[in-house]
Amino acid sequence: MAAKNLRRRRVRTQELANSANGIRDGAGTARVILKLKIEHMIVLQALEDANRSHERAVCVSEIAEEISAKDKKRLERTYSNDLSRIVAKILGLLITRRMVFSPGGSNKRRFYGSVYVLDLDNTQSPDIRSRRFQVLGLVREAVQEFGRAVRNVDVIEYAKSKKLDVVPSDLSHDILSMAETGELAVIGHVRGEGKGINLYLPSDMDPEAYRPKRPLTWLDEVARTVEALWAERAEDAKIKGVRPKPLTTGDVRARVINLPFHTEREIKKDPQILVDAVKNLSTSRNPLLRKIKRRGQRMLLWVPVGVKDEDVDFGYFCANDAERMGEAVKRAVERLGRPVTVRDVQDEVESDFALQPVNSSGIFQALAYASRETFDAYDGRGRQKRLTRRVFKIGRAGQNTYYYTDESSEALSFVEFRRIEMECSEARFEEQLEAFEAVSLSCAAKGRAMLLAHEIKTLHRKVIELLTAAKMDGTTRREAEGLKERLEQAAQATLKWLATCGSDGLSLPGDVSTAVPCWTAMEFLQVVKPFYPMAENITSTNKFITLMHEQVRRVPNPEFDSRFSDDQRKAAEFLFDRTDALLYTARQWGGTECCLQAMLASRELGRLRDARFILPALDAKSFEARLAAVACLAFLWSDEGNDRLKRMVNEDTDSGVRQSALWAYGFAGGEGSREMLVDKSQNDANSRVREFASQALEADDESWWKM
């Protein structure tokens, strides 16, 4: 019954079609339809339904979608092929009967139309691109966008940026398929990130024009760095006629520290990223490096795959800068037989390139870091105790910091001896003894001799204590014994001079004060700034200390606590001798009177800072002696000295002495100095003194320096 209904509908449909198209043999065509098999009629009906729904010629898959499940079972039951092949064969038969036509194919697909639905003369093959064709176009667009060959992930990211509805797995499948069929060419590979390793390019594009100019991944960047580093090392070894040395992770780190993938701060924060990268280069499917592990050595060495052990120089290698500095210190100690300075270590580093610090820090910073008991782990654990210390900071002697391979008593005693030796050198015993003869004030000369004797005695006691208590190596002990003898000779010569020195009947103290009034660098800088224009640009006291430490005497600060202390005086390990600073400033930038008195005072005082040995000279009969004493008190700045200067201004019989005392009292900060100038400008018996006082009154607050 169903077949009869289908035939009746076909006859009516054909009659309508003949009427519309002017077909004259409608009766014959109807007889053709009536002669069709049921299976053929099912396919023809599905074709017509597909033509109407799509309004165009359709392919086999689109026709199959219009066949009901019941009819599909009938077709598959009748024929042994799969459904698409069955439909295609039946369509071929219907084309022969001129009931179906094909306008052509596209992308390996053929399209069909029913003569009862579509116009044979006005139907073209539809322009329908396959998914492969679309993916190929997408790859081409991505290449143009990135300006280089692309990976799977690049194409997927490009499609997402264009908001295209793609399935990543299908896209990757099509790219791999087109690479096998030759539509895409693989022109390179990348390492790392797990996002595809092949670089694809449409086969009709020039590979050289689209090769990446820079590495695309961090692992690729490290790989390129390793290749360049090994090439340089191999070339250098070839020139020198030696075997190249293996690479260390530190060698690679020094090269990649400023690459764009990770900043220096990120690499220092997580050093493992570089370690992992180098390790991956030796464990990937296509390894670039091979690992060399030596017994007894913690550090790993790396050479390119294919380089044999016998072609490599396995000299001394260090895992990090701490080990490098440890080896450099060890060699310097063995060579010199004593604790070593930065300069000694620098000599060792310059003689062996393998000891060069990998990081950008200098030798001093590398030594300071290696000698610390703790280090920053950069992994959130904070500071950690160093398990193996190869460098020990023994101490400082002057400007030199000494390092050793351990904290042995021999090393400590060596540095202590160097400190004593430097104090002896700075004291200049022989020069001081000779200078006593040029001192015009006998009281000042005796005070200086007593001070020298005290210094020699103190240093002699230090040497004795060092020789008695400390364990010393033979060389240091011999040098200490020699210094002890020189001190004893200098002490005898000083005592002999004191025994023969007359005091001109003056009453002098039985002991001498060794206290030295001092300034911090900032206090000294504030004094210098008004006279030294370049000092206005000095904002760092360290820079000022560097400028002045060889010009002005510095003494150890007894109040020194820590250089990080908030109190400037407690933060300074050394202070400037105030009197020496005043004398230097006066000679350098002072006026005529200021410079003259500074020259007199520096000749008389030397290192004497006890005003009690100057005051008796104010009563001397010689006005030259009184002038020299006034000049000394001007730079010693003491309350008792200011009182005596004030008396000299009013009572001394010599006008030159009164004028010098007037300047000295004002320079030393005497109280009421301006009132004294007013009085002397009007009432002094000498016109030169009155004129001098008037000039001082007309000057500004810095007049005492400028006069």
Side-chain angles (χ1 to χ4, degrees):
M1 182 64 70
K4 290 181 179 180
N5 292 334
L6 182 60
R7 287 192 181 96
R8 291 192 190 101
R9 189 170 60 194
R10 287 296 179 193
V11 171
R12 288 196 297 270
T13 302
Q14 183 60 36
E15 290 173 350
L16 292 173
N18 291 340
S19 173
N21 296 297
I23 299 177
R24 296 177 183 176
D25 57 344
T29 303
R31 285 195 297 271
V32 172
I33 294 176
L34 291 173
K35 293 180 181 180
L36 289 178
K37 292 182 178 180
I38 297 300
E39 291 79 8
H40 293 197
M41 295 180 67
I42 291 172
V43 173
L44 181 60
Q45 180 63 45
L47 172 62
E48 293 176 356
D49 293 341
N51 288 152
R52 291 189 184 96
S53 62
H54 292 285
E55 296 181 351
R56 60 170 173 79
V58 293
C59 63
V60 171
S61 60
E62 293 170 328
I63 297 170
E65 291 176 357
E66 299 293 336
I67 302 175
S68 67
K70 183 178 179 181
D71 290 339
K72 286 181 181 178
K73 289 181 180 179
R74 182 185 182 98
L75 291 172
E76 291 173 350
R77 204 167 46 242
T78 305
Y79 301 100
S80 60
N81 291 324
D82 59 87
L83 183 62
S84 60
R85 189 176 294 274
I86 293 170
V87 173
K89 284 184 174 293
I90 292 174
L91 289 172
L93 294 173
L94 294 176
I95 290 175
T96 304
R97 295 181 176 226
R98 298 184 180 181
M99 302 173 71
V100 174
F101 68 94
S102 175
S106 175
N107 293 321
K108 299 181 180 180
R109 290 189 296 178
R110 180 164 292 279
F111 295 89
Y112 302 91
S114 172
V115 297
Y116 309 118
V117 178
L118 301 178
D119 184 358
L120 175 63
D121 298 326
N122 296 321
T123 301
Q124 302 294 329
S125 177
D127 183 17
I128 300 177
R129 297 192 301 170
S130 66
R131 193 180 72 192
R132 286 170 58 89
F133 192 83
Q134 294 175 10
V135 171
L136 180 61
L138 195 60
V139 172
R140 192 180 303 275
E141 292 175 14
V143 169
Q144 297 296 337
E145 176 73 15
F146 291 104
R148 57 170 172 78
V150 293
R151 299 170 292 169
N152 282 349
V153 66
D154 298 324
V155 181
I156 293 171
E157 290 176 356
Y158 173 76
K160 289 181 179 179
S161 68
K162 298 299 182 180
K163 299 181 179 180
L164 301 177
D165 186 15
V166 297
V167 179
S169 58
D170 292 342
L171 192 148
S172 299
H173 176 272
D174 290 340
I175 290 177
L176 290 172
S177 176
M178 285 187 285
E180 291 181 0
T181 58
E183 293 164 280
L184 291 178
V186 179
I187 67 167
H189 305 279
V190 297
R191 297 175 181 269
E193 294 187 1
K195 297 179 180 179
I197 64 172
N198 292 334
L199 288 172
Y200 298 102
L201 190 72
S203 56
D204 59 342
M205 301 180 77
D206 182 10
E208 295 304 320
Y210 291 96
R211 291 189 188 278
K213 301 299 187 295
R214 289 198 55 81
L216 302 180
T217 65
W218 164 244
L219 194 59
D220 247 1
E221 186 72 84
V222 176
R224 180 175 293 192
T225 301
V226 167
E227 291 173 342
L229 187 59
W230 179 257
E232 293 176 10
R233 188 161 293 188
E235 181 65 23
D236 185 61
K238 182 178 180 181
I239 294 173
K240 295 179 179 179
V242 297
R243 293 176 298 174
K245 294 183 178 180
L247 302 175
T248 66
T249 307
D251 297 331
V252 182
R253 186 188 304 277
R255 286 292 186 93
V256 304
I257 200 72
N258 292 317
L259 293 179
F261 283 92
H262 296 287
T263 64
E264 180 177 357
R265 182 176 181 180
E266 289 173 335
I267 294 177
K268 286 186 176 180
K269 187 177 181 180
D270 184 13
Q272 194 64 30
I273 60 175
L274 180 64
V275 177
D276 292 342
V278 176
K279 183 179 179 181
N280 286 339
L281 291 177
S282 67
T283 57
S284 60
R285 290 185 300 174
N286 182 27
L288 175 66
L289 298 174
R290 68 180 181 90
K291 177 175 64 176
I292 298 176
K293 176 71 175 177
R294 296 170 296 165
R295 177 176 294 182
Q297 298 289 334
R298 194 182 78 177
M299 184 186 60
L300 298 178
L301 302 178
W302 309 93
V303 295
V305 172
V307 177
K308 299 179 181 179
D309 288 352
E310 54 266 26
D311 297 331
V312 182
D313 178 13
F314 294 101
Y316 183 82
F317 282 88
C318 304
N320 49 48
D321 283 351
E323 290 187 11
R324 292 180 181 87
M325 291 300 98
E327 179 64 18
V329 169
K330 178 183 175 183
R331 295 183 187 180
V333 167
E334 292 174 350
R335 177 170 58 88
L336 300 172
R338 59 167 175 79
V340 295
T341 64
V342 175
R343 180 65 259 179
D344 301 326
V345 177
Q346 180 71 41
D347 293 340
E348 295 297 331
V349 172
E350 290 176 354
S351 65
D352 188 349
F353 180 80
L355 300 179
Q356 285 278 356
V358 172
N359 294 326
S360 58
S361 58
I363 300 297
F364 178 80
Q365 290 82 0
L367 276 173
Y369 176 77
S371 63
R372 294 175 185 168
E373 293 185 14
T374 61
F375 67 97
D376 197 335
Y378 292 107
D379 58 0
R381 294 183 297 165
R383 299 200 68 81
Q384 299 293 311
K385 187 175 180 62
R386 198 185 296 276
L387 297 179
T388 304
R389 289 181 67 189
R390 297 173 175 82
V391 180
F392 291 80
K393 184 178 179 180
I394 303 302
R396 287 180 56 191
Q399 300 299 316
N400 291 324
T401 301
Y402 287 88
Y403 299 90
Y404 204 63
T405 54
D406 55 39
E407 289 183 306
S408 63
S409 56
E410 290 90 344
L412 295 171
S413 61
F414 173 86
V415 177
E416 181 61 28
F417 171 70
R418 289 302 172 205
R419 293 195 189 104
I420 298 172
E421 191 178 44
M422 292 190 67
E423 288 185 51
C424 294
S425 177
E426 291 173 358
R428 300 176 182 176
F429 305 135
E430 293 79 6
E431 293 183 20
Q432 288 200 56
L433 283 170
E434 293 177 1
F436 294 162
E437 303 298 332
V439 178
S440 61
L441 300 179
S442 59
C443 54
K446 188 168 184 178
R448 290 175 62 174
M450 293 173 64
L451 180 63
L452 178 60
H454 180 273
E455 291 177 348
I456 293 174
K457 183 179 180 180
T458 301
L459 291 171
H460 185 265
R461 184 179 68 252
K462 289 182 179 180
V463 174
I464 294 295
E465 292 174 353
L466 185 64
L467 288 169
T468 304
K471 184 179 179 181
M472 308 170 66
D473 63 80
T475 302
T476 305
R477 182 169 292 278
R478 285 192 297 273
E479 292 181 356
E481 292 285 356
L483 179 60
K484 174 176 167 289
E485 293 179 5
R486 293 198 302 273
L487 286 171
E488 291 172 350
Q489 294 173 1
Q492 292 176 2
T494 304
L495 293 175
K496 181 179 180 180
W497 190 92
L498 280 171
T500 59
C501 172
S503 58
D504 296 334
L506 301 175
S507 177
L508 298 176
D511 60 348
V512 63
S513 174
T514 58
V516 180
C518 295
W519 276 338
T520 63
M522 182 57 68
E523 291 170 337
F524 187 16
L525 178 60
Q526 297 307 316
V527 173
V528 170
K529 274 188 176 181
F531 318 110
Y532 184 38
M534 293 184 64
E536 292 293 337
N537 300 324
I538 298 177
T539 57
S540 169
T541 54
N542 292 332
K543 183 177 181 180
F544 183 70
I545 291 172
T546 302
L547 292 173
M548 292 296 173
H549 81 279
E550 293 184 357
Q551 309 297 332
V552 178
R553 179 190 175 202
R554 297 175 72 207
V555 296
N557 180 13
E559 300 179 20
F560 173 68
D561 178 27
S562 168
R563 62 190 182 95
F564 301 107
S565 175
D566 295 333
D567 188 337
Q568 288 189 2
R569 186 162 288 272
K570 292 183 178 180
E573 187 175 357
F574 292 90
L575 298 173
F576 285 101
D577 180 342
R578 184 183 68 188
T579 300
D580 205 32
L582 290 169
L583 291 169
Y584 174 80
T585 306
R587 291 194 302 268
Q588 194 75 12
W589 297 291
T592 303
E593 183 72 23
C594 183
C595 187
L596 175 62
Q597 296 221 31
M599 293 175 63
L600 284 173
S602 61
R603 185 189 66 184
E604 300 294 329
L605 287 175
R607 297 170 67 158
L608 179 65
R609 299 295 179 260
D610 192 342
R612 296 178 300 166
F613 287 89
I614 304 299
L615 296 175
L618 295 175
D619 298 325
K621 295 180 180 179
S622 169
F623 82 93
E624 290 92 346
R626 298 200 302 277
L627 281 174
V630 166
C632 291
L633 293 176
F635 292 92
L636 287 177
W637 286 17
S638 66
D639 293 338
E640 187 177 1
N642 285 351
D643 291 341
R644 293 296 304 274
L645 287 173
K646 188 174 183 179
R647 288 169 52 188
M648 295 291 290
V649 172
N650 296 318
E651 299 174 3
D652 199 275
T653 57
D654 189 90
S655 60
V657 174
R658 292 200 305 275
Q659 178 178 321
S660 295
L662 183 61
W663 178 87
Y665 184 75
F667 182 80
E671 185 177 354
S673 58
R674 302 294 293 182
E675 291 78 1
M676 184 180 291
L677 288 173
V678 173
D679 177 62
K680 287 299 172 182
S681 66
Q682 299 172 358
N683 303 322
D684 195 90
N686 188 276
S687 60
R688 292 182 60 187
V689 176
R690 292 196 301 271
E691 183 180 356
F692 178 83
S694 298
Q695 291 176 355
L697 283 172
E698 294 174 358
D700 54 26
D701 294 337
E702 301 166 2
S703 59
W704 306 112
W705 290 96
K706 296 179 179 179
M707 294 181 69

